[in-house]
Amino acid sequence: MPNSPSTFQRRSTFLPFSPPSISEEEIAAVVETLRSEWITTGPKTKEFEQLFADYIGASAALALNSCTGGLHIALAALGIGPGDEVITTPITFACSANVIEHVGATPILADVEPETLTLDLQQVAQKITARTKAIMPVHFAGHPAEMRPLLDLAAQHRLFVIEDAAHALPAKYEGQMIGTLSDFTAFSFYATKNLTTAEGGMLTGAPERIAEARLWSLHGMNRDAWKRYSSEGSWYYEVVLPGFKYNMTDIQAALGIVQLRRLSEFQARRRAIVAQYQAAFSALEALQVPVERPNVEHAWHLYTLRLNLEQLRITRAQFIEELKARNIATSVHFIPIHLHPYYRDRYGWRPEDFPVAYWEYQRLVSLPLHPRLSDADVADVINAVYDVVSVFRR
Ligand SMILES: *Cc1c(COP(=O)(O)O)cnc(C)c1O
């Protein structure tokens, strides 16, 4: 439990932010695939897609080499392109907006709600025009956006909904799994995510939609490559649209299959760590802790604190430096889209155009949260944060 400043002991090694949780089982599965006769998209990828769809309760799933690729082909498969507008949030990783540019459409930002930093639906409603084609919510940190009113708003205006669920595996909204609610949902298996294949992603949706996305994911070819090379296969294929190259390899899928089996164990550990953080940090006036609303199940991909800066003598950047000096890694999720030079200059966005995102960004800091943290590591994080707060309290 929290120390007094005079007793603070810096941990002896640097605590990393989010290393992968890879066991001998994943290593054996990858080696077995490497020794097999098929290493790229093939039987392991098919198996992973099926297991993932079953886990989520989705009617179809498409394994990919990234979540970014999934968001891109979701837009392509829905026919979104030049002249169209897609509404998304400033509090996300750049790729959510980049993919809208990739298809030639225009990203329209709507500000976030202060409590969860997910899309504020009143702001979204104000941004809808005759050109709007889709809404792209991001389930920030693993807390689902308010999907019921969002889906209602989309239905009212005949808009598609594409969810960026890079953080939201597994998460629930009103008892339903994220991945079953909208036109397309894209998950990420990037190295730091709740389930990893080093790089990778999965798109879920209705079977016809996933079939269309599958064409876009692999050159627009109307037959899977691995079927062409198998005994029942044929050399013949047709290219029916100018697709991309976003397929997952069997090496990644072998890793993913084992990770999916371990996911509930990972999540239990994440929740136990979050419970310790919440108990410790809600006692400090200088900090605002994250919420889990009663109608959701949070995936707890990130644990994000907000600094009550008026109570501290240091900025967020200095807070991060102080934790680093105490051997604790942190990160910031996210530098808002509209502050990045490309978007700022292209659309003339000013910081105050999205005041909630801009204000909250300046006081956000993410602490280490991953299944490999021991209780001693968690205590080190708590003690270091307490020390910084007590030394720099106003
Ligand atoms: C990680 C992340 C992505 C991208 O995932 P990739 O699999 O690396 O493409 C997309 N959106 C958000 C919010 C993310 O954090």
Side-chain angles (χ1 to χ4, degrees):
M1 265 289 95
N3 49 282
S4 66
S6 57
T7 66
F8 177 73
Q9 279 277 325
R10 187 177 91 133
R11 59 180 274 132
S12 57
T13 57
F14 190 68
L15 185 69
F17 183 71
S18 191
S21 298
I22 304 289
S23 70
E24 289 304 318
E25 252 192 291
E26 280 92 337
I27 294 168
V30 167
V31 169
E32 186 196 307
T33 303
L34 286 171
R35 292 209 163 105
S36 76
E37 291 174 356
W38 199 263
I39 57 174
T40 187
T41 315
K44 287 284 175 199
T45 306
K46 278 278 158 262
E47 184 187 346
F48 186 34
E49 285 174 346
Q50 191 57 55
L51 290 168
F52 191 89
D54 291 348
Y55 178 83
I56 296 286
S59 47
L62 169 62
L64 298 163
N65 62 5
S66 73
C67 173
T68 304
L71 294 169
H72 183 192
I73 60 176
L75 291 164
L78 295 171
I80 294 169
D84 297 335
E85 296 177 351
V86 178
I87 300 174
T88 192
T89 161
I91 298 286
T92 186
F93 183 60
C95 66
S96 318
N98 288 350
V99 293
I100 300 169
E101 299 269 324
H102 291 166
V103 297
T106 305
I108 302 293
L109 299 182
D111 209 353
V112 292
E113 1 172 317
E115 190 174 64
T116 61
L117 305 182
T118 58
L119 277 176
D120 177 333
L121 292 177
Q122 284 183 340
Q123 297 294 323
V124 174
Q126 286 174 20
K127 297 297 176 95
I128 295 173
T129 71
R131 290 179 297 280
T132 309
K133 285 283 153 37
I135 306 173
M136 190 192 289
V138 177
H139 305 306
F140 176 73
H143 192 295
E146 278 304 336
M147 289 304 290
R148 186 52 49 205
L150 189 149
L151 290 165
D152 289 347
L153 185 66
Q156 209 181 313
H157 295 271
R158 298 171 178 275
L159 307 177
F160 297 116
V161 175
I162 301 167
E163 294 167 75
D164 179 338
H167 300 178
L169 178 69
K172 284 184 185 169
Y173 181 79
E174 291 179 352
Q176 287 183 276
M177 286 290 281
I178 295 298
T180 61
L181 296 171
S182 65
D183 296 292
F184 279 116
T185 306
F187 295 90
S188 174
F189 307 140
Y190 178 66
T192 58
K193 299 287 157 68
N194 288 17
L195 180 162
T196 187
T197 58
E199 298 284 351
M202 192 77 79
L203 196 60
T204 61
E208 359 28 286
R209 288 257 159 80
I210 290 296
E212 177 78 9
R214 196 178 291 281
L215 287 175
W216 282 102
S217 75
L218 194 63
H219 311 298
M221 285 162 62
N222 63 3
R223 277 167 206 254
D224 294 350
W226 72 287
K227 287 200 186 122
R228 285 193 289 127
Y229 292 107
S230 69
S231 61
E232 78 259 38
S234 152
W235 59 271
Y236 189 74
Y237 62 87
E238 291 170 325
V239 171
V240 297
L241 47 80
F244 304 99
K245 182 67 163 62
Y246 288 154
N247 54 308
M248 178 178 275
T249 70
D250 268 21
I251 302 168
Q252 292 167 303
L255 182 44
I257 289 167
V258 180
Q259 288 266 297
L260 187 61
R261 250 196 325 264
R262 298 178 62 207
L263 187 60
S264 60
E265 160 209 329
F266 290 161
Q267 290 310 114
R269 184 65 192 143
R270 283 180 184 275
R271 284 193 165 271
I273 296 163
V274 167
Q276 292 183 59
Y277 281 167
Q278 294 288 67
F281 300 138
S282 30
L284 294 180
E285 270 180 52
L287 304 177
Q288 179 184 328
V289 299
V291 300
E292 180 177 31
R293 286 189 182 153
N295 62 338
V296 310
E297 193 175 306
H298 201 312
W300 292 113
H301 170 56
L302 299 173
Y303 185 84
T304 55
L305 283 174
R306 273 173 276 175
L307 308 181
N308 291 327
L309 292 169
E310 68 288 352
Q311 314 245 359
L312 294 166
R313 288 182 288 113
I314 49 175
T315 64
R316 184 267 312 277
Q318 289 167 312
F319 190 90
I320 286 172
E321 285 310 308
E322 291 297 330
L323 283 178
K324 193 190 267 179
R326 288 163 180 75
N327 267 338
I328 307 295
T330 56
S331 190
V332 174
H333 299 88
F334 289 98
I335 302 165
I337 296 291
H338 68 293
L339 302 186
H340 288 294
Y342 174 80
Y343 289 100
R344 179 194 66 203
D345 299 345
R346 179 168 170 85
Y347 297 105
W349 283 326
R350 290 157 306 162
E352 318 76 44
D353 286 348
F354 308 97
V356 178
Y358 182 54
W359 164 250
E360 298 300 334
Y361 158 64
Q362 294 172 74
R363 61 195 202 99
L364 267 170
V365 56
S366 304
L367 298 183
L369 174 59
H370 58 83
R372 279 169 70 168
L373 290 174
S374 67
D375 285 343
D377 294 332
V378 174
D380 287 341
V381 175
I382 292 171
N383 286 334
V385 170
Y386 263 76
D387 190 50
V388 174
V389 168
S390 70
V391 171
F392 296 101
R393 200 181 353 234
R394 208 181 269 287

Coordinates of all heavy atoms in Angstrom, one line a residue, residues 209-244:
R209 N -21.4 -9.6 -46.2 CA -20.4 -8.5 -46.1 C -19.0 -9.0 -45.9 O -18.1 -8.4 -46.6 CB -20.8 -7.7 -44.8 CG -22.1 -6.9 -45.0 CD -21.7 -5.4 -45.2 NE -22.8 -4.7 -45.8 CZ -23.9 -4.2 -45.2 NH1 -24.0 -4.4 -43.9 NH2 -24.8 -3.5 -45.8
I210 N -18.8 -10.0 -45.1 CA -17.5 -10.6 -45.0 C -17.0 -11.2 -46.3 O -15.8 -11.1 -46.6 CB -17.5 -11.6 -43.8 CG1 -17.7 -10.9 -42.5 CG2 -16.2 -12.4 -43.8 CD1 -16.6 -9.9 -42.1
A211 N -17.9 -11.8 -47.1 CA -17.4 -12.3 -48.4 C -16.9 -11.2 -49.3 O -15.9 -11.4 -50.0 CB -18.6 -13.1 -49.0
E212 N -17.6 -10.1 -49.3 CA -17.2 -8.9 -50.1 C -15.9 -8.4 -49.6 O -15.0 -8.1 -50.4 CB -18.3 -7.9 -50.0 CG -18.0 -6.6 -50.7 CD -18.2 -6.6 -52.2 OE1 -18.8 -7.7 -52.7 OE2 -17.8 -5.7 -52.9
A213 N -15.7 -8.3 -48.2 CA -14.5 -7.8 -47.7 C -13.3 -8.8 -48.0 O -12.2 -8.3 -48.2 CB -14.6 -7.6 -46.1
R214 N -13.6 -10.1 -48.0 CA -12.6 -11.1 -48.3 C -12.0 -10.8 -49.7 O -10.8 -10.9 -49.9 CB -13.2 -12.5 -48.2 CG -12.1 -13.6 -48.1 CD -12.8 -15.0 -47.9 NE -13.5 -15.1 -46.7 CZ -12.8 -15.4 -45.5 NH1 -11.5 -15.6 -45.5 NH2 -13.5 -15.6 -44.4
L215 N -12.9 -10.5 -50.7 CA -12.4 -10.2 -52.0 C -11.4 -9.0 -52.0 O -10.3 -9.0 -52.5 CB -13.5 -9.8 -52.9 CG -14.5 -10.9 -53.4 CD1 -15.6 -10.3 -54.2 CD2 -13.7 -11.9 -54.3
W216 N -11.8 -7.9 -51.2 CA -11.0 -6.7 -51.1 C -9.7 -7.0 -50.4 O -8.7 -6.3 -50.6 CB -11.8 -5.6 -50.4 CG -12.8 -4.9 -51.2 CD1 -14.1 -5.1 -51.2 CD2 -12.5 -3.9 -52.2 NE1 -14.7 -4.3 -52.2 CE2 -13.7 -3.5 -52.8 CE3 -11.3 -3.3 -52.7 CZ2 -13.8 -2.6 -53.8 CZ3 -11.4 -2.4 -53.7 CH2 -12.6 -2.0 -54.3
S217 N -9.7 -8.0 -49.5 CA -8.5 -8.3 -48.7 C -7.4 -9.0 -49.5 O -6.3 -9.1 -49.0 CB -8.9 -9.1 -47.5 OG -9.1 -10.5 -47.8
L218 N -7.7 -9.6 -50.6 CA -6.7 -10.4 -51.3 C -6.9 -10.3 -52.8 O -7.3 -11.2 -53.5 CB -6.8 -11.9 -50.9 CG -5.6 -12.8 -51.3 CD1 -4.3 -12.3 -50.6 CD2 -5.9 -14.3 -51.0
H219 N -6.4 -9.1 -53.3 CA -6.3 -8.8 -54.8 C -7.6 -8.8 -55.5 O -7.6 -8.8 -56.8 CB -5.3 -9.8 -55.4 CG -4.0 -10.0 -54.7 ND1 -3.1 -9.0 -54.5 CD2 -3.5 -11.1 -54.1 CE1 -2.0 -9.5 -53.9 NE2 -2.2 -10.7 -53.6
G220 N -8.7 -9.0 -54.8 CA -10.0 -9.1 -55.6 C -10.2 -10.4 -56.3 O -11.0 -10.6 -57.2
M221 N -9.4 -11.5 -55.8 CA -9.5 -12.8 -56.4 C -10.6 -13.6 -55.8 O -10.9 -13.6 -54.6 CB -8.2 -13.6 -56.1 CG -7.0 -13.1 -57.0 SD -5.4 -13.6 -56.3 CE -5.6 -15.4 -56.4
N222 N -11.4 -14.2 -56.7 CA -12.6 -14.9 -56.3 C -12.4 -16.3 -55.8 O -13.3 -17.1 -55.6 CB -13.7 -14.8 -57.4 CG -13.3 -15.5 -58.7 OD1 -12.2 -16.1 -58.7 ND2 -14.1 -15.5 -59.7
R223 N -11.1 -16.7 -55.6 CA -10.9 -18.0 -55.0 C -9.7 -17.9 -54.0 O -8.8 -17.1 -54.3 CB -10.4 -19.1 -56.0 CG -11.5 -19.8 -56.7 CD -11.0 -20.5 -57.9 NE -12.0 -20.7 -58.9 CZ -12.6 -21.8 -59.2 NH1 -12.3 -22.9 -58.5 NH2 -13.5 -21.9 -60.1
D224 N -9.7 -18.6 -52.9 CA -8.6 -18.5 -51.9 C -7.3 -19.2 -52.5 O -7.5 -20.3 -53.1 CB -8.9 -19.2 -50.6 CG -10.0 -18.5 -49.9 OD1 -10.4 -17.4 -50.3 OD2 -10.6 -19.1 -48.9
A225 N -6.2 -18.5 -52.4 CA -4.9 -19.1 -52.9 C -4.7 -20.5 -52.5 O -4.3 -21.4 -53.2 CB -3.8 -18.2 -52.5
W226 N -4.9 -20.8 -51.2 CA -4.5 -22.1 -50.6 C -5.4 -23.2 -51.2 O -5.0 -24.3 -51.3 CB -4.5 -22.1 -49.1 CG -5.8 -22.1 -48.4 CD1 -6.7 -21.0 -48.3 CD2 -6.5 -23.2 -47.8 NE1 -7.8 -21.4 -47.6 CE2 -7.7 -22.7 -47.3 CE3 -6.1 -24.5 -47.5 CZ2 -8.6 -23.5 -46.6 CZ3 -7.0 -25.3 -46.8 CH2 -8.2 -24.8 -46.3
K227 N -6.6 -22.8 -51.6 CA -7.5 -23.8 -52.3 C -6.9 -24.1 -53.7 O -7.0 -25.3 -54.1 CB -8.9 -23.4 -52.3 CG -9.6 -23.4 -51.0 CD -11.1 -23.4 -51.1 CE -11.8 -23.4 -49.7 NZ -12.6 -22.2 -49.6
R228 N -6.4 -23.1 -54.3 CA -5.8 -23.4 -55.7 C -4.7 -24.4 -55.6 O -4.5 -25.1 -56.6 CB -5.3 -22.0 -56.3 CG -6.4 -21.1 -56.7 CD -5.8 -20.0 -57.6 NE -5.1 -19.0 -56.8 CZ -3.8 -18.7 -57.1 NH1 -3.2 -19.2 -58.1 NH2 -3.2 -17.8 -56.3
Y229 N -3.9 -24.3 -54.6 CA -2.7 -25.2 -54.5 C -3.0 -26.6 -53.9 O -2.1 -27.4 -53.8 CB -1.6 -24.5 -53.8 CG -1.0 -23.3 -54.5 CD1 -1.3 -22.0 -54.1 CD2 -0.3 -23.5 -55.7 CE1 -0.8 -20.9 -54.8 CE2 0.2 -22.4 -56.4 CZ -0.1 -21.1 -56.0 OH 0.4 -20.1 -56.7
S230 N -4.2 -26.8 -53.4 CA -4.5 -28.1 -52.7 C -5.0 -29.0 -53.8 O -5.3 -28.7 -54.9 CB -5.6 -27.9 -51.6 OG -6.8 -27.5 -52.2
S231 N -5.2 -30.3 -53.4 CA -5.5 -31.3 -54.4 C -6.9 -31.1 -55.0 O -7.1 -31.4 -56.2 CB -5.5 -32.7 -53.7 OG -6.5 -32.7 -52.6
E232 N -7.8 -30.5 -54.2 CA -9.1 -30.2 -54.8 C -9.2 -28.9 -55.6 O -10.2 -28.5 -56.1 CB -10.3 -30.3 -53.8 CG -10.4 -29.1 -52.9 CD -9.8 -29.3 -51.5 OE1 -8.7 -29.9 -51.4 OE2 -10.3 -28.8 -50.5
G233 N -8.0 -28.2 -55.6 CA -8.0 -26.9 -56.2 C -7.9 -26.8 -57.7 O -7.7 -27.9 -58.4
S234 N -7.9 -25.6 -58.3 CA -7.8 -25.4 -59.7 C -6.8 -24.3 -59.9 O -6.7 -23.4 -59.1 CB -9.1 -25.2 -60.3 OG -9.0 -24.4 -61.5
W235 N -6.2 -24.2 -61.0 CA -5.3 -23.1 -61.4 C -6.1 -21.8 -61.7 O -5.6 -20.7 -61.7 CB -4.4 -23.4 -62.5 CG -5.2 -23.8 -63.8 CD1 -5.6 -25.0 -64.1 CD2 -5.7 -22.9 -64.8 NE1 -6.4 -25.0 -65.3 CE2 -6.4 -23.6 -65.7 CE3 -5.5 -21.5 -65.0 CZ2 -7.0 -23.1 -66.8 CZ3 -6.2 -20.9 -66.1 CH2 -6.9 -21.7 -67.0
Y236 N -7.4 -22.0 -61.9 CA -8.2 -20.9 -62.5 C -8.7 -19.9 -61.4 O -9.2 -20.4 -60.4 CB -9.3 -21.4 -63.3 CG -10.1 -20.3 -64.1 CD1 -9.5 -19.8 -65.2 CD2 -11.3 -19.8 -63.6 CE1 -10.1 -18.7 -65.9 CE2 -11.9 -18.8 -64.3 CZ -11.3 -18.3 -65.4 OH -12.0 -17.2 -66.1
Y237 N -8.6 -18.6 -61.6 CA -9.2 -17.7 -60.8 C -9.5 -16.4 -61.6 O -9.1 -16.3 -62.7 CB -8.3 -17.3 -59.6 CG -7.0 -16.6 -60.0 CD1 -6.9 -15.2 -60.2 CD2 -5.9 -17.4 -60.3 CE1 -5.8 -14.6 -60.7 CE2 -4.7 -16.8 -60.8 CZ -4.7 -15.4 -61.0 OH -3.5 -14.8 -61.4
E238 N -10.4 -15.6 -61.0 CA -10.7 -14.3 -61.7 C -10.5 -13.2 -60.7 O -10.8 -13.3 -59.5 CB -12.1 -14.3 -62.2 CG -12.4 -15.3 -63.3 CD -13.9 -15.5 -63.6 OE1 -14.7 -15.4 -62.6 OE2 -14.2 -15.6 -64.8
V239 N -10.0 -12.0 -61.2 CA -9.9 -10.8 -60.4 C -11.2 -10.0 -60.7 O -11.4 -9.6 -61.9 CB -8.6 -10.0 -60.7 CG1 -8.6 -8.7 -60.1 CG2 -7.4 -10.9 -60.3
V240 N -12.0 -9.8 -59.7 CA -13.3 -9.1 -59.9 C -13.3 -7.7 -59.4 O -14.2 -7.0 -59.6 CB -14.4 -10.0 -59.3 CG1 -14.5 -11.3 -60.0 CG2 -14.2 -10.2 -57.8
L241 N -12.3 -7.3 -58.6 CA -12.1 -5.9 -58.2 C -10.6 -5.7 -57.9 O -9.9 -6.6 -57.6 CB -13.1 -5.5 -57.1 CG -13.2 -6.5 -55.9 CD1 -12.1 -6.3 -54.9 CD2 -14.5 -6.3 -55.2
P242 N -10.2 -4.4 -57.8 CA -8.8 -4.1 -57.5 C -8.5 -4.2 -56.0 O -8.4 -3.1 -55.4 CB -8.6 -2.7 -58.1 CG -9.9 -2.1 -57.9 CD -10.9 -3.1 -58.1
G243 N -8.4 -5.4 -55.5 CA -8.2 -5.6 -54.1 C -6.8 -5.2 -53.5 O -5.9 -4.9 -54.3
F244 N -6.7 -5.3 -52.2 CA -5.5 -5.0 -51.5 C -4.8 -6.3 -51.1 O -5.3 -7.4 -51.5 CB -5.8 -4.1 -50.3 CG -6.5 -2.9 -50.7 CD1 -7.9 -2.7 -50.6 CD2 -5.8 -1.8 -51.3 CE1 -8.5 -1.6 -51.0 CE2 -6.4 -0.6 -51.7 CZ -7.8 -0.5 -51.5

